[in-house]
């Protein structure tokens, strides 16, 4: 069974709840996918219940014909179907269409499996539910669509409008009404309240305002526990462990707030205090609503707008976001819940209509077809224009074209109009892909994948990114240039520029090692991405929201960098490829490539590094690498580092995980290398471990886990093996491998066209650590080929005749 949701926050919450409630039912075989294809396929094979996001399932099912395990699925559950009209909608639509096609293929008379796949969908009320059901293949008797007013438990909704046209003034005017709404609708201390506000700053201000208003009325605070109980004192002590000073102040009054990027420990404390009824009011920015695991009796939406830095204006919350907020009103209370929505007066009637009457869901797939077409071209599902048209007929977009022609800029609803519209759409998309060199398109309408398209599909990145990389990188590009290319990748276009952040970014830009290009503007996401990457390398202190954005950038950056390496290698440029590999190391460790490699070690300050660099043993040996730290005597190490026990433990973990790799290589048939022919090189990587240690299966599984306090996530080591000619900047061969204990591989490259002796270089480059790369010289003797010998004989005979 597979559960699929458009958002990772929902997947995380669902996994946590289902693992708690259903582990016994499924024999603890409940897994959540990670996005690593190899690991995810192994997890699916061993699990009974799988939880995945739409992008993860899209990545896995693109090659469904080769991955037989995907064809053995019996039940697919798609959640949040009303988000078909949102940003995640196009990918959700493609995944459902693909699974319908797989289901029809598996259940047909010619199928080897002859096994049906059951599709189940859940979502909020929508006006065209019948069309969605028909598209998913749901029979009419199995389709249920309820009015928005029908809920498992009753929900009372109250609207309060404000005339102020200025956004900031309107928020200030809402402050006291929020307090009044809490007092009126949730007067009992056991009735919990969640308040959604537009930003982190507003969450903090609203929490302080509520505490101040309550104290000014000489009322008791919002603490829900009796102060005479033992539990009360325990929770009071728990409050004192909070690091955020403003949060620590308000929680003692029974009010808490959450925000993106807050410390995990503080978040856990606040949620525990809320669930234990110590605090009864929780204030959250709207963006947190998708990952909020708690509910309330009363939900207050303080303004229905937020600032969009990309558009540089205030925009409305999506319908899905509003429904999610309202859905936090207690489902577990049989008496129901309440929701108060504070909004701008001109939008009151519109919001009422939006929430009380279901709206039709429209497809946006026509605007996002390029990347999906590209992936299907790579897997040979689409080989010509007609295949592309047939592909669209499986989508929800095809069903909506005739129903709402004006929305899709069509001239009519006849079959001829639809056919012409689809043909024009397909020709435009394939033409764009051909122009970006992701595929080839001939005059007969046949398409074939090209290298750039294969790279984009393999790494699940947008075709505009791969086009940018291919057009920007040159044989002389250095780390700075690759960094700027990375910052402009389309994957970061969703990074928000919040209200007031431009001033903060300007201050950070002054402290950057590399100045911004003149063309960059501070309201652009690419500028913010570049600044946050450089702040990461400089280990700058940032606000919680910027740290949250930085974490998103770092996780996506490694995939884009790997794609950049592949694009550069296809151009056979050595130095830019090595620079991109160094950039990957910088991203994982949060360092500039010219910083001391000792700075990778946890708790190593500039002062400690200076002491280590100044140290010299009696034998004249200095500390130049991570391994030198391990080889020091304990008393010398303690004197140099001067760290506590827990900090020394962190140092030991890092140093023990730091890879020591033994590399051996051998040219196949080295004495018979001929000019212009293929040369094979066998390489073996082996991790150096203590011979006396016998590793348990758990320890073997843990080999290759990267230690980095500055990378936001779990990462496995990767290694690039590169063969190149440094004298000509030529990259001859490249492979990327993962390594546990021992890994063998074979590289092939073309011998030089001219006979002679050559000194090539083999690089073993880490993608995660600085200072552990290795270089080896390959002595290659190239003999003349048969063609050369024949030419020489012809020249000699012609000379004799003359």
């Amino acid at each position: 069974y597979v559960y699929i949701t458009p958002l990772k926050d929902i997947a995380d919450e669902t996994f946590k709840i289902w693992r708690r409630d259903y582990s016994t039912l499924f024999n603890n075989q409940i897994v959540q996918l990670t996005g690593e294809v190899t690991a995810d396929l192994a997890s699916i094979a061993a699990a009974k219940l799988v939880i995945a996001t739409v992008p993860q399932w899209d990545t896995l099912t693109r090659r469904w014909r080769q991955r037989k395990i995907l064809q053995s699925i019996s039940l697919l559950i798609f959640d949040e179907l009303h988000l078909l009209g949102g940003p995640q909608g196009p990918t959700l639509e493609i995944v459902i269409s693909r699974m319908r096609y797989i289901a029809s293929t598996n259940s047909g008379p010619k199928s080897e499996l002859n096994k049906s796949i059951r599709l189940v969908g859940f979502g909020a009320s929508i006006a065209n539910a019948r069309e969605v059901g028909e598209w998913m293949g749901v029979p009419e008797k199995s389709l249920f669509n309820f009015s928005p007013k029908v809920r498992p438990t009753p929900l009372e909704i109250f609207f309060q409008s404000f005339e102020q046209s200025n956004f900031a003034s309107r928020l200030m005017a809402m402050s006291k009404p929020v307090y009044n709404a809490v007092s009126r609708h949730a007067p009992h201390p056991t009735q919990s309240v969640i308040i959604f506000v537009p930003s982190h700053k507003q969450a903090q201000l609203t929490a302080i305002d509520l505490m101040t208003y309550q104290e000014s009325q000489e009322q008791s605070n919002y603490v829900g526990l009796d102060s005479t109980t033992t539990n009360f004192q325990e929770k009071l002590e728990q409050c004192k462990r909070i690091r955020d000073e403003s949060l620590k102040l308000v929680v003692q009054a029974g009010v808490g707030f959450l925000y993106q990027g807050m410390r995990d420990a503080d978040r856990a404390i606040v949620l525990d205090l809320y669930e234990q009824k110590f605090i009864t009011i929780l204030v959250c920015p709207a963006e947190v609503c998708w990952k909020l695991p708690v509910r309330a009796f009363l939900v207050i939406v303080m303004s229905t707008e937020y600032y969009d830095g990309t558009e540089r204006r205030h925009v409305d919350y999506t319908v899905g976001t509003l429904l999610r907020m309202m859905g936090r009103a207690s489902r577990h209370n049989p008496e129901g819940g309440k929701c108060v929505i504070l909004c701008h007066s001109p939008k009151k009637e519109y919001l009422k209509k939006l929430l009380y009457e279901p709206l039709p869901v429209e497809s946006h797939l026509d605007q996002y077809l390029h990347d999906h077409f590209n992936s299907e071209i790579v897997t040979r599902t689409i080989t010509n224009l007609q295949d592309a048209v047939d592909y669209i007929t499986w989508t929800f977009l095809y069903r909506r074209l005739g129903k709402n022609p004006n929305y899709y800029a069509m001239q009519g609803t006849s079959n001829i109009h639809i056919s012409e519209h689809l043909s024009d759409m397909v020709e435009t998309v394939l033409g764009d892909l051909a122009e970006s060199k992701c595929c080839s398109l001939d005059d007969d309408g046949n398409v074939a994948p090209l290298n750039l398209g294969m790279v984009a599909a393999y790494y699940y990145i947008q075709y505009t990114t791969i086009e940018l990389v291919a057009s920007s990188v040159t044989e002389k590009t250095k780390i700075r240039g690759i960094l700027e290319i990375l910052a402009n990748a389309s994957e970061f276009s969703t990074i928000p520029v919040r209200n007031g952040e431009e001033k903060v970014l300007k201050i950070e830009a002054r402290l950057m090692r590399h100045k911004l290009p003149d063309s960059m503007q501070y309201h652009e996401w690419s500028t913010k991405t570049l600044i946050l990457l450089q702040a990461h390398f400089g280990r700058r202190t940032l606000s919680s929201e910027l740290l949250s954005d930085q974490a998103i950038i770092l996780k996506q950056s490694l995939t884009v960098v790997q794609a950049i390496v592949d694009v550069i290698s296809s151009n056979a440029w050595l130095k830019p490829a090595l620079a991109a590999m160094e950039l990957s190391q910088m991203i994982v460790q949060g360092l500039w490539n010219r910083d001391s490699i000792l700075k990778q070690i946890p708790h190593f300050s500039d002062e400690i590094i200076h002491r280590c660099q100044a140290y010299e043993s009696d034998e004249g040996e200095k500390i130049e690498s991570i391994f030198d730290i391990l080889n020091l005597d304990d008393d010398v190490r303690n004197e140099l580092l001067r760290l506590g026990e827990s900090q020394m433990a962190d140092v030991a973990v890092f140093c023990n995980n730091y890879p020591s790799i033994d590399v051996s290589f051998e040219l196949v048939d080295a004495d018979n290398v001929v000019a212009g022919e293929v040369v094979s090189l066998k390489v073996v990587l082996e991790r150096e471990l203590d011979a006396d240690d016998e590793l348990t299966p758990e320890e073997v599984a843990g080999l290759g886990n990267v230690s980095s306090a500055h990378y936001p996530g779990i990462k496995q080591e990767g290694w690039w093996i590169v063969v190149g000619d440094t004298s000509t900047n030529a990259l001859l061969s490249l492979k990327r491998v993962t390594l546990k204990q021992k890994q063998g591989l074979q590289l092939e490259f073309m011998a030089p066209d001219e006979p002679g002796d050559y000194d090539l270089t083999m690089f073993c480059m880490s993608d995660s650590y600085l200072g552990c790369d290795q270089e080896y010289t390959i002595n290659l003797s190239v003999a003349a080929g048969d063609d050369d010998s024949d030419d020489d004989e012809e020249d000699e005979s012609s000379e004799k005749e003359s």
Side-chain angles (χ1 to χ4, degrees):
Y1 306 146
V2 181
Y3 168 88
I4 301 172
T5 179
L7 300 171
K8 189 178 185 303
D9 294 332
I10 299 177
D12 292 341
E13 182 185 352
T14 303
F15 176 65
K16 193 178 297 182
I17 295 172
W18 286 10
R19 187 172 58 175
R20 181 192 67 200
D21 297 343
Y22 304 131
S23 289
T24 305
L25 180 63
F26 290 99
N27 294 326
N28 292 319
Q29 293 176 319
I30 302 177
V31 299
Q32 182 179 10
L33 301 188
T34 62
E36 293 288 338
V37 173
T38 305
D40 286 345
L41 288 172
S43 297
I44 293 171
K48 290 186 176 180
L49 179 59
V50 177
I51 296 171
T53 62
V54 167
Q56 290 169 350
W57 198 249
D58 184 27
T59 304
L60 285 177
T61 55
R62 284 181 173 183
R63 296 185 178 272
W64 62 272
R65 288 185 176 87
Q66 291 79 25
R67 295 165 180 163
K68 299 299 182 183
I69 186 66
L70 299 177
Q71 300 178 40
S72 62
I73 293 165
S74 58
L75 174 65
L76 277 162
I77 301 173
F78 292 97
D79 202 0
E80 309 290 337
L81 283 181
H82 55 278
L83 295 182
L84 275 169
Q88 306 83 7
T91 309
L92 176 60
E93 184 175 343
I94 287 294
V95 168
I96 294 176
S97 301
R98 183 182 297 136
M99 296 314 299
R100 280 186 58 238
Y101 182 76
I102 295 174
S104 68
T105 304
N106 285 358
S107 58
K110 297 181 180 180
S111 170
E112 296 179 4
L113 297 175
N114 196 21
K115 180 179 180 181
S116 61
I117 301 178
R118 185 183 179 197
L119 271 63
V120 178
F122 296 105
S125 300
I126 52 178
N128 54 339
R130 186 183 299 275
E131 289 177 24
V132 175
E134 291 174 353
W135 164 60
M136 291 182 64
V138 176
E140 190 171 347
K141 65 178 182 179
S142 301
L143 177 67
F144 305 94
N145 188 31
F146 303 97
S147 164
K149 299 176 183 178
V150 177
R151 295 177 176 272
T153 55
L155 177 66
E156 291 185 74
I157 304 176
F158 304 89
F159 285 89
Q160 187 170 352
S161 58
F162 296 81
E163 298 290 344
Q164 292 84 350
S165 57
N166 180 269
F167 181 77
S169 301
R170 192 159 63 248
L171 278 181
M172 290 179 63
M174 290 177 180
S175 181
K176 189 62 180 290
V178 166
Y179 170 75
N180 293 336
V182 172
S183 302
R184 176 185 173 189
H185 296 291
H188 197 276
T190 60
Q191 293 176 323
S192 52
V193 181
I194 296 177
I195 302 172
F196 290 105
V197 296
S199 65
H200 165 206
K201 181 179 179 182
Q202 189 60 45
Q204 182 178 326
L205 291 174
T206 301
I208 294 173
D209 285 345
L210 287 169
M211 179 185 70
T212 306
Y213 284 137
Q214 187 75 344
E215 289 176 352
S216 67
Q217 299 294 325
E218 297 184 356
Q219 301 284 337
S220 60
N221 55 32
Y222 290 110
V223 175
L225 290 179
D226 188 348
S227 59
T228 60
T229 61
T230 308
N231 196 24
F232 177 85
Q233 296 301 325
E234 292 176 359
K235 296 305 174 187
L236 208 56
E237 288 299 319
Q238 202 173 354
C239 295
K240 296 177 182 177
R241 297 203 298 269
I242 294 175
R243 292 271 190 91
D244 189 317
E245 292 299 326
S246 57
L247 180 58
K248 184 189 294 185
L249 173 68
V250 296
V251 293
Q252 297 182 49
V255 182
F257 60 85
L258 301 175
Y259 52 89
Q260 286 276 49
M262 72 184 300
R263 290 180 65 250
D264 290 340
D266 285 356
R267 176 184 169 85
I269 291 173
V270 170
L271 289 175
D272 181 64
L273 292 174
Y274 181 80
E275 289 176 340
Q276 298 298 324
K277 302 294 185 183
F278 183 87
I279 62 177
T280 55
I281 299 179
L282 195 58
V283 189
C284 312
E287 60 190 357
V288 176
C289 74
W290 296 102
K291 61 174 65 175
L292 195 62
V294 294
R295 303 181 185 276
F297 170 75
L298 171 65
V299 167
I300 300 176
V301 181
M302 184 178 178
S303 179
T304 58
E305 302 172 26
Y306 70 100
Y307 181 78
D308 187 332
T310 307
E311 297 190 20
R312 307 188 76 180
R313 64 186 182 91
H314 291 91
V315 297
D316 294 329
Y317 295 145
T318 63
V319 180
T321 302
L322 280 172
L323 292 174
R324 181 73 177 181
M325 293 176 185
M326 293 166 59
R328 298 296 91 187
S330 183
R331 250 180 226 180
H332 304 296
N333 184 354
E335 298 178 1
K338 296 182 179 182
C339 178
V340 178
I341 299 176
L342 284 63
C343 62
H344 194 198
S345 293
K347 296 182 179 178
K348 182 177 179 180
E349 294 305 317
Y350 164 74
L351 287 169
K352 282 185 177 181
K353 185 178 181 63
L354 201 67
L355 298 176
Y356 287 140
E357 298 179 15
L359 293 176
V361 171
E362 296 293 349
S363 172
H364 298 131
L365 181 59
D366 53 333
Q367 303 168 33
Y368 297 91
L369 270 175
H370 295 78
D371 295 312
H372 299 295
F373 267 20
N374 180 61
S375 69
E376 302 299 344
I377 291 170
V378 170
T379 58
R380 308 289 180 173
T381 301
I382 294 177
T383 58
N384 52 53
L385 292 174
Q386 187 57 48
D387 287 344
V389 173
D390 294 342
Y391 179 81
I392 294 178
T393 60
W394 283 87
T395 65
F396 184 60
L397 168 66
Y398 179 71
R399 293 179 177 270
R400 290 301 299 169
L401 288 176
K403 302 290 185 180
N404 193 358
N406 292 334
Y407 185 85
Y408 299 99
M410 285 180 55
Q411 303 301 318
T413 60
S414 67
N415 291 336
I416 295 176
H417 286 105
I418 294 175
S419 178
E420 289 178 352
H421 184 80
L422 289 179
S423 298
D424 291 343
M425 185 192 307
V426 165
E427 288 175 6
T428 301
V429 172
L430 294 181
D432 291 342
L433 290 175
E435 187 177 348
S436 64
K437 298 181 181 178
C438 287
C439 72
S440 62
L441 177 65
D442 62 22
D443 294 337
D444 296 328
N446 297 313
V447 293
L450 297 179
N451 181 63
L452 293 182
M454 293 178 185
V455 173
Y458 181 80
Y459 290 106
Y460 203 79
I461 61 176
Q462 298 180 34
Y463 87 102
T464 50
T465 297
I466 214 72
E467 182 183 16
L468 170 72
V469 173
S471 62
S472 302
V473 74
T474 68
E475 59 184 337
K476 296 181 179 179
T477 303
K478 298 181 180 179
I479 286 181
R480 179 175 180 175
I482 296 173
L483 187 58
E484 291 177 3
I485 294 171
L486 173 63
N488 282 277
S490 301
E491 279 64 31
F492 306 123
S493 60
T494 56
I495 298 297
V497 180
R498 300 176 185 86
N499 196 12
E501 273 189 353
E502 292 180 36
K503 295 179 181 178
V504 179
L505 295 176
K506 284 181 181 178
I507 295 172
E508 287 295 330
R510 296 186 196 132
L511 304 171
M512 285 173 22
R513 178 171 295 191
H514 299 310
K515 299 303 178 186
L516 291 175
D518 295 335
S519 60
M520 284 192 159
Q521 302 295 323
Y522 287 99
H523 67 273
E524 294 175 345
W525 53 266
S526 55
T527 304
K528 180 175 179 178
T529 301
L530 182 57
I531 291 172
L532 291 184
L533 282 170
Q534 294 207 43
H536 174 64
F537 303 143
R539 296 189 177 179
R540 299 277 307 155
T541 302
L542 301 172
S543 68
S544 58
E545 288 178 324
L546 288 179
L547 281 174
S548 176
D549 295 335
Q550 188 184 66
I552 296 171
I553 291 169
L554 295 177
K555 289 179 181 179
Q556 187 65 44
S557 291
L558 290 181
T559 304
V560 179
V561 169
Q562 290 175 21
I564 292 174
V565 170
D566 282 10
V567 172
I568 295 173
S569 68
S570 66
N571 289 297
W573 295 327
L574 178 61
K575 292 179 182 177
L578 297 178
M581 295 171 192
E582 285 190 46
L583 179 58
S584 177
Q585 300 169 2
M586 292 161 52
I587 291 169
V588 175
Q589 294 299 333
L591 286 176
W592 289 102
N593 59 326
R594 294 183 182 177
D595 290 338
S596 168
I597 61 173
L598 298 180
K599 205 169 183 180
Q600 298 173 94
I601 305 176
H603 315 298
F604 265 50
S605 62
D606 292 337
E607 183 181 351
I608 293 176
I609 293 172
H610 179 72
R611 285 200 298 267
C612 291
Q613 291 173 336
Y615 170 79
E616 186 174 337
S617 68
D618 296 337
E619 292 80 14
E621 295 177 350
K622 294 186 176 182
I623 298 175
E624 297 177 344
S625 71
I626 307 292
F627 303 112
D628 294 335
I629 298 292
L630 284 173
N631 296 331
L632 291 172
D633 293 335
D634 290 347
D635 55 343
V636 175
R637 188 189 300 115
N638 292 337
E639 174 59 27
L640 287 174
L641 306 190
R642 303 173 192 175
L643 298 173
E645 287 186 14
S646 62
Q647 294 174 320
M648 286 295 285
D650 293 338
V651 172
V653 168
F654 179 88
C655 292
N656 289 325
N657 284 345
Y658 191 76
S660 177
I661 308 298
D662 180 57
V663 181
S664 59
F665 62 93
E666 178 188 8
L667 279 171
V668 178
D669 203 11
D671 297 331
N672 297 306
V673 177
V674 179
E677 293 190 2
V678 176
V679 181
S680 295
L681 178 70
K682 288 185 177 180
V683 183
V684 177
L685 307 181
E686 186 169 7
R687 190 182 301 274
E688 294 182 2
L689 302 169
D690 292 336
D692 299 332
D693 294 344
E694 289 189 10
L695 300 180
T696 64
E698 291 77 13
E699 289 173 329
V700 172
L703 290 176
N705 288 343
V706 175
S707 291
S708 174
H710 299 275
Y711 182 74
I714 299 171
K715 187 182 181 313
Q716 282 283 317
E717 289 175 17
W719 296 88
W720 282 288
I721 310 301
V722 184
V723 177
D725 188 341
T726 55
S727 62
T728 60
N729 190 28
L731 191 155
L732 303 177
S733 183
L734 178 146
K735 275 194 177 181
R736 187 174 184 276
V737 296
T738 56
L739 174 65
K740 288 295 183 182
Q741 289 179 287
K742 190 173 182 179
Q743 178 71 45
L745 64 148
Q746 183 165 313
L747 291 89
E748 294 184 344
F749 56 93
M750 299 301 294
D753 293 331
E754 297 295 329
D757 294 332
Y758 294 86
D759 290 333
L760 305 180
T761 306
M762 186 184 76
F763 299 86
C764 179
M765 302 287 293
S766 170
D767 71 346
S768 305
Y769 295 100
L770 289 94
C772 62
D773 303 329
Q774 302 179 45
E775 294 183 24
Y776 298 89
T777 299
I778 302 174
N779 298 314
L780 187 68
S781 296
V782 181
D786 294 337
D787 292 343
D788 294 333
S789 301
D790 295 341
D791 292 341
D792 292 341
E793 292 176 1
E794 289 177 6
D795 292 340
E796 289 177 6
S797 61
S798 62
E799 287 175 5
K800 289 178 181 178
E801 290 174 1
S802 62

